[in-house]
Amino acid sequence: MLKNLFSFRDRYRILHQTWFAFFLTFVCWFNFAPFATTIGKELHLAPEQIKTIGICNLALTIPARLIIGMLLDRFGPRITYSILLMFAAVPCLATAFSQDFNQLVISRLLMGIVGSGFVVGIRMVAEWFPPKEMGSAQGIYGGWGNFGAFGAEFALPMIAVATSFLAGGASNWRLAIALTGIIAAIYGVIYFNSVQDTPAGKVYKRPKKNGALEVTSVKSFWAMIVSNFGLIFALGLLAWRLEQKNIHFLTLGQMYLVWLALLGLFAYQTYKAYEVNKELLIGKKTYAPTQRYNFSQVAILEFTYVTNFGSELAAVSMLPAFFERTFGLEHVVAGMIAATYPFLNLVSRPSGGVISDKFGSRKWTMTIISVGIGVGYLMAHFINGNWPIPLAIAVTMFCAYFAQAGCGATYGIVPLIKKEATGQIAGNVGAYGNFGGVVYLTIYSLTDAPTLFSTMAIAALICAFMCAFFLKEPQDSFDGAPEESAEASNQQSTILAEE
């Protein structure tokens, strides 16, 4: 695969066009972070408000990834990704024209929807590459797409400075942010007119039922309900944060109304899950061994994504301001230094997928990488102003490598669970990455950077324990045979039969 990677033909062309779509969504999603302190000064925001905006940037990605996953499985990645890219112009322009904290909160909540684009490409890549190359292909898609965070933190401050003459000599952050949305919308049109959902002759498989994930056992059903509640809890946590002192975006009464609405949403999700799985729950339907999958394995992958991608989201959101304040740097310089974290996505996330493909055990790849994440953030806990900046950068890059490699290893497994429901499963796992980001940034907003780093370290080490003792090696995870029939496809997309 790697020998043909730059051929730009057939599936490789689709891979390149799709990772670039993801790249643009990430540039948009993180276009606020490099300007956080600058915008705070210009709009007279309190430090707590700036941190809260960072949480808002992640929040709606949680339900959006679930919804996008369902739309994706029904309509296909070509239409879904194209519309999402064009929509990106809305929150980008809203951010660029914001004049106060409330407008920024609304614009960044909408921006969270753009962050759900990752799920779409997971299904697109899964349609074009065989299981034995899944880790490598998904790692390249995710890693090179995540490189968009580096593009935002490194390039956007330079654009803002270069065009400062249009803003009276001040950093032209408004133009830089607006441009990201305009470019994404243009590429959305290009993507729609130049890709296909599947290779010629292959049928795009859709789930038989829509509205919720179809599971294959009663235990898996209840595990899914608990998983859904966790995502609702993260949104409730955000509502609580928006009501706290120095924020006051919501009143106490409004917070309770939001909580009530979230409980209603959870009840609706539970009803739809029951509706989709009713025949299973009342005993009228059973699944053949080749059709079964164990949701507990999905839950462990959700936890791995909390510890790797969740920590990446938190780090990318807070590192520019962290370096600026810890070492007394200008925001442009601090942004460029902080960009070393997302920069590694170019190689680290693909390497996680490649290692998962080549090591011979996806389970132990995930375990070892999770240990690396924990060790990295434990070291980051001790960074302070007395450290040499190169050493702080080195520790940051150590954390970045393992967190991003963990993302690649996670999605080397996800598309192999159940092919026709890949969008929904990828959406669930992906949403838990944002769950982690929201929880971590909430902890950061209430404490400080060392506490955040130590929290992320402990979570990763617990995750490593879970992977070592409870994650099971996927079946057929190194199969290279082409999908020639529906039966073969089902066998290739099954992780394991429930015991």
Side-chain angles (χ1 to χ4, degrees), residues 256-275:
Y256 286 138
L257 284 175
V258 170
W259 283 0
L260 186 62
L262 289 174
L263 286 175
L265 176 60
F266 177 66
Y268 176 75
Q269 278 186 307
T270 304
Y271 167 74
K272 293 299 292 183
Y274 173 79
E275 193 175 53

Side-chain angles (χ1 to χ4, degrees), residues 90-298:
V90 175
C92 286
L93 292 174
T95 301
F97 288 105
S98 292
Q99 301 296 325
D100 56 36
F101 173 71
N102 289 350
Q103 292 175 8
L104 280 173
V105 167
I106 294 170
S107 66
R108 299 322 289 185
L109 285 170
L110 291 175
M111 186 63 77
I113 298 172
V114 180
S116 64
F118 169 69
V119 175
V120 187
I122 291 296
R123 179 69 191 262
M124 177 67 94
V125 173
E127 291 294 332
W128 284 82
F129 287 84
K132 71 174 183 178
E133 297 178 348
M134 194 61 66
S136 302
Q138 297 291 357
I140 290 167
Y141 162 70
W144 293 6
N146 275 2
F147 196 66
F150 169 81
E153 293 195 346
F154 187 83
L156 293 185
M158 291 194 293
I159 293 173
V161 171
T163 58
S164 60
F165 66 94
L166 298 173
S171 175
N172 199 352
W173 59 270
R174 295 182 186 275
L175 177 61
I177 289 176
L179 281 175
T180 62
I182 294 169
I183 292 171
I186 292 172
Y187 187 72
V189 177
I190 295 172
Y191 192 80
F192 179 80
N193 288 290
S194 59
V195 302
Q196 306 82 41
D197 287 333
T198 62
K202 181 180 177 183
V203 177
Y204 186 78
K205 304 184 90 176
R206 293 172 168 81
K208 295 177 181 178
K209 299 178 181 179
N210 291 296
L213 182 62
E214 185 177 0
V215 295
T216 56
S217 76
V218 175
K219 286 196 299 184
S220 289
F221 174 81
W222 292 112
M224 178 179 64
I225 298 303
V226 173
S227 171
N228 289 343
F229 180 78
L231 299 176
I232 295 296
F233 170 80
L235 295 174
L237 184 64
L238 171 65
W240 172 81
R241 185 66 187 129
L242 290 174
E243 189 274 333
Q244 297 303 293
K245 63 179 181 179
N246 301 324
I247 303 298
H248 292 306
F249 180 77
L250 297 176
T251 65
L252 184 62
Q254 290 171 333
M255 182 192 74
Y256 286 138
L257 284 175
V258 170
W259 283 0
L260 186 62
L262 289 174
L263 286 175
L265 176 60
F266 177 66
Y268 176 75
Q269 278 186 307
T270 304
Y271 167 74
K272 293 299 292 183
Y274 173 79
E275 193 175 53
V276 167
N277 296 284
K278 181 178 180 180
E279 292 181 347
L280 170 73
L281 296 174
I282 63 177
K284 286 188 176 181
K285 184 175 183 178
T286 57
Y287 291 84
T290 56
Q291 294 177 316
R292 296 177 190 167
Y293 71 96
N294 193 333
F295 192 86
S296 67
Q297 300 300 292
V298 179

Side-chain angles (χ1 to χ4, degrees), residues 197-484:
D197 287 333
T198 62
K202 181 180 177 183
V203 177
Y204 186 78
K205 304 184 90 176
R206 293 172 168 81
K208 295 177 181 178
K209 299 178 181 179
N210 291 296
L213 182 62
E214 185 177 0
V215 295
T216 56
S217 76
V218 175
K219 286 196 299 184
S220 289
F221 174 81
W222 292 112
M224 178 179 64
I225 298 303
V226 173
S227 171
N228 289 343
F229 180 78
L231 299 176
I232 295 296
F233 170 80
L235 295 174
L237 184 64
L238 171 65
W240 172 81
R241 185 66 187 129
L242 290 174
E243 189 274 333
Q244 297 303 293
K245 63 179 181 179
N246 301 324
I247 303 298
H248 292 306
F249 180 77
L250 297 176
T251 65
L252 184 62
Q254 290 171 333
M255 182 192 74
Y256 286 138
L257 284 175
V258 170
W259 283 0
L260 186 62
L262 289 174
L263 286 175
L265 176 60
F266 177 66
Y268 176 75
Q269 278 186 307
T270 304
Y271 167 74
K272 293 299 292 183
Y274 173 79
E275 193 175 53
V276 167
N277 296 284
K278 181 178 180 180
E279 292 181 347
L280 170 73
L281 296 174
I282 63 177
K284 286 188 176 181
K285 184 175 183 178
T286 57
Y287 291 84
T290 56
Q291 294 177 316
R292 296 177 190 167
Y293 71 96
N294 193 333
F295 192 86
S296 67
Q297 300 300 292
V298 179
I300 294 175
L301 295 176
E302 290 172 344
F303 189 24
T304 68
Y305 217 54
V306 167
T307 61
N308 50 57
F309 188 63
S311 70
E312 180 180 354
L313 288 175
V316 171
S317 298
M318 56 76 71
L319 278 176
F322 172 72
F323 276 106
E324 182 176 345
R325 291 167 182 159
T326 302
F327 298 101
L329 303 172
E330 291 294 326
H331 83 276
V332 173
V333 176
M336 289 180 177
I337 291 176
T340 57
Y341 189 107
F343 174 80
L344 272 190
N345 266 305
L346 193 62
V347 294
S348 56
R349 186 159 182 159
S351 77
V354 171
I355 293 169
S356 182
D357 285 346
K358 302 299 183 183
F359 185 61
S361 173
R362 299 195 189 277
K363 167 184 174 173
W364 287 108
T365 298
M366 197 74 256
T367 302
I368 294 168
I369 290 176
S370 296
V371 171
I373 297 171
V375 171
Y377 286 125
L378 282 177
M379 291 191 294
H381 167 84
F382 296 100
I383 295 176
N384 58 58
N386 295 322
W387 279 41
I389 293 178
L391 181 59
I393 294 173
V395 170
T396 299
M397 295 182 76
F398 183 93
C399 296
Y401 175 78
F402 281 98
Q404 294 158 7
C407 295
T410 298
Y411 274 89
I413 299 174
V414 167
L416 302 174
I417 294 176
K418 195 172 182 65
K419 177 60 72 67
E420 60 267 33
T422 294
Q424 293 180 68
I425 294 172
N428 270 63
V429 174
Y432 262 89
N434 288 81
F435 168 91
V438 168
V439 171
Y440 289 147
L441 286 177
T442 300
I443 292 171
Y444 174 60
S445 72
L446 298 172
T447 57
D448 54 23
T451 303
L452 171 66
F453 289 135
S454 59
T455 301
M456 295 192 297
I458 293 169
L461 294 175
I462 294 172
C463 180
F465 174 85
M466 297 291 291
C467 289
F469 288 95
F470 300 105
L471 184 63
K472 296 181 180 180
E473 189 67 30
Q475 291 182 356
D476 301 325
S477 54
F478 302 102
D479 193 346
E483 296 175 88
E484 295 178 349

